[in-house]
Amino acid sequence: MKKITFLKSLLVAACVMVGSSAWADSTTTLWEKGTTGNDWTDSDAAKYHAETAPNGWTTTSTYTGAPTVNVSIVDNALNVKSNIRNHAFTASKAIATTTNSTLTIDAVWNSGNNTGGAGDYSYIKFGDVEVRAYGQDKNTVVVIGGVSTTISTNQNDVRNCDMTIHFEINRMSKAVSYDITLATSGKKSGNGTVSTSDFSGVTMGFDYTTTDPKGKTDRACTLKSIKIDETVTTADLAGYTINYQLSGTTVKTVSATNEVNAVITAETAIDGTEEGYVGNHYLITASEAPSMTLVASAASNVLNVPVRAPYTATLKVTTTLGTNDPVLVSTPLTETDAKVCTWSYAYPMYVLNGGSYYKADNTSTFGESGVFTDGQVVEKSVTYSIDKSIVFFQEAEASAGTNYTYSNGGTGYVAAQNKRDRGISVGTLPAGTYSIIAKITAANKRSLGIRQSTNDFLASVGTSTDDMTTGVKSANFTLNEETSSLFINGANSGTEKTNQSEDFDYVLIKYAPVPVSVTADGYATLCPEYNLDFTSATAIEACKASVTTGGVITLTKVNTVKAGEGVLLRSVSGGAANEDIPVIASADANADNAFVGIPAKIQLAQSTEAGYTNYILSKKSDVMGFYKVNAAGSWCKAGSAYLKVADDLAPARGFFALDEEETTGICDKRIVKIDESANATVFDLQGRRVAQPRKGLYINNGRKVVIK
């Protein structure tokens, strides 16, 4: 049988199980430095700057700023020193190896004082195998084929740490075993394997890299000793073929060689490579991947594997914002290589559109998930209603550097900063009283707050030693004038720094509601400081007034009240009432409103404009109404309102009584008062004239009215 030189398997690879066979090993040292009798010399690496390679070494360097990188021999060790901010640098040396061999690497490497910015690390690398020592991140990790395994998370285990490194790399099975001991702590790594990397060549390299423009300078790492051995093994080999077939037609063929008695296992998912099938993806139909044990005859080593196309479906999500046209988003769904058929969608609590925020009507789940069948169309819908009280909303995961989830309980964070005018930018808010509301998802004794540029917090929410609970928390703050450069960030007592991060789900800012009330008589006047929205109010109504000929006052319910506008408040139940009314960013003044707001305490004169008389809310002889201001004037409190009536529309009795009509439709859904002018006539339903109408239904100047 034909003999061939190839790698002896030290580990069981993911797809190849090695059976019994006759082996003959031959081990050679490919490269050795820093060990007994193999000291480093200037010929190995002379002092140099970034763009000048030493003897036998290759360098690469990317940087921002003037490069000051050098490599030197210090205390019989190859030392790399860097004075570059925001750079990546590598000193590397290629090692010639034999195809399908096993490499054994033993090295002692020092990570240096790698305490730069987040993401900075020094490293030693052998092809696809890499040991990284992160400084500020406090991690020592092994990276094999792009997959990281953490050895230690203690920063004291990372800085200036001698690491004793042992690697065995099987270049045929692409399996790796490793054992790393940290001198500072004695911690050892576990073993790791990888079956996807291509160890077709080995380049040894090491250095320091930084991803942070504020990364520290003057960093160094040292390769103290290294020995690379290669073991070449001979064994009996046989060829094999795997045919992946779609309804009997081959879409991909894999042909290779391995040792006799090796167990070859098919892939569970493949891309077609035959003409007409290139680029198409397929899954095996079997529940488990089939396999075969190689025999000496290649003709007998053929495995036919049935495959099928992955199942597909469509997810259609329709989103409607208030009265806007619905928006449909269709997302194709595809079965995974693990044969998982799931759909899911998530949506934020609030959406900003056209300068206004809309809140999801379903505020409990913020998304759904399920399992699809082949060809299914999954249809879902999300509706949003406008919420005029919201001025800012931010999902944690929508901020830079945070995790990707939505308001369904997933976490993100506002990262620590070194300036107060950083973090989540809120921008500019008008004058008003606000609530900052955050869903805190980690009790870490830190706060999330809003501040103006470099000033102290206006308000903060979060956890503390005394309050370690999580959940929705809020605090109020007031802006006396329009304020810009508002930021949300972490809490710190320093003048400049905000060097604490805080985990949260979402944070929003809304106008704090304004409490309003009416007396036991069921009425009050109001001149609000902010724009108010009575649309959803249930206990108190706001009304504007108009006065027509004959002294008829008509009160009309309004939904919004502009700041500084005068209105009448009415208890829906008829007695005393209290209710918090949302503040909104803007509102238009109600047209044809005879009420005048009183923003500050004044002594109101009986007449403030020629031809008009002022009336204020009062109760006289058990009758609530608007009565003429005293000749000497009447004191009115801030936040109230008065009624301004043209003299030719004044009631004959000198006041307007608030004996209101029910909204029954006979008055066109308006609250209409009895015409009390001198010539007004009131009749009962039998046509009899009534001088002093009481409760009941009457005809007043040709209209039906109800008196309670």
Side-chain angles (χ1 to χ4, degrees), residues 504-527:
F504 68 102
D505 185 357
Y506 61 82
V507 59
L508 63 87
I509 300 174
K510 63 186 301 183
Y511 285 106
V514 172
V516 298
S517 61
V518 296
T519 65
D521 295 304
Y523 296 99
T525 59
L526 175 68
C527 173

Side-chain angles (χ1 to χ4, degrees), residues 172-376:
M172 182 174 183
S173 66
K174 300 178 178 61
V176 178
S177 68
Y178 58 87
D179 188 1
I180 301 173
T181 303
L182 308 182
T184 52
S185 64
K187 289 185 178 180
K188 291 189 176 183
S189 70
N191 289 329
T193 62
V194 63
S195 60
T196 59
S197 297
D198 180 11
F199 296 104
S200 58
V202 175
T203 299
M204 179 188 68
F206 73 107
D207 197 12
Y208 180 85
T209 183
T210 172
T211 58
D212 188 340
K214 289 187 174 295
K216 304 298 182 181
T217 60
D218 195 19
R219 299 303 180 207
C221 53
T222 303
L223 181 58
K224 293 186 174 182
S225 66
I226 185 168
K227 183 179 181 182
I228 303 177
D229 289 336
E230 180 181 54
T231 299
V232 179
T233 306
T234 59
D236 294 333
L237 299 182
Y240 67 89
T241 300
I242 302 178
N243 296 315
Y244 296 93
Q245 297 178 329
L246 177 67
S247 300
T249 301
T250 299
V251 297
K252 179 180 180 179
T253 297
V254 176
S255 297
T257 301
N258 210 311
E259 63 173 298
V260 173
N261 294 325
V263 177
I264 307 299
T265 303
E267 299 175 84
T268 58
I270 56 114
D271 290 326
T273 57
E274 299 299 318
E275 185 177 354
Y277 299 93
V278 175
N280 294 335
H281 195 65
Y282 301 97
L283 308 180
I284 64 170
T285 58
S287 58
E288 295 182 0
S291 62
M292 62 179 169
T293 301
L294 298 189
V295 297
S297 172
S300 300
N301 297 327
V302 177
L303 184 63
N304 294 321
V305 182
V307 297
R308 62 170 173 81
Y311 296 148
T312 59
T314 302
L315 172 64
K316 293 185 176 181
V317 180
T318 301
T319 302
T320 304
L321 301 181
T323 59
N324 296 332
D325 292 335
V327 176
L328 172 64
V329 176
S330 294
T331 303
L333 305 172
T334 304
E335 181 182 15
T336 68
D337 288 353
K339 296 184 178 179
V340 176
C341 298
T342 59
W343 60 266
S344 66
Y345 75 103
Y347 52 91
M349 180 184 297
Y350 286 92
V351 171
L352 179 62
N353 182 268
S356 298
Y357 281 95
Y358 293 78
K359 185 178 182 181
D361 289 350
N362 184 351
T363 58
S364 59
T365 60
F366 299 106
E368 294 182 72
S369 62
V371 177
F372 66 82
T373 58
D374 193 26
Q376 182 182 6

Side-chain angles (χ1 to χ4, degrees), residues 129-175:
V129 180
E130 185 174 357
V131 181
R132 295 180 181 179
Y134 290 86
Q136 185 167 303
D137 296 352
K138 305 179 183 179
N139 290 333
T140 304
V141 300
V142 175
V143 183
I144 302 177
V147 179
S148 299
T149 302
T150 300
I151 300 175
S152 174
T153 58
N154 189 326
Q155 192 176 60
N156 293 326
D157 293 343
V158 176
R159 290 184 189 169
N160 291 320
C161 175
D162 277 357
M163 301 183 189
T164 302
I165 300 171
H166 176 78
F167 276 104
E168 293 181 0
I169 303 175
N170 186 319
R171 295 177 60 211
M172 182 174 183
S173 66
K174 300 178 178 61

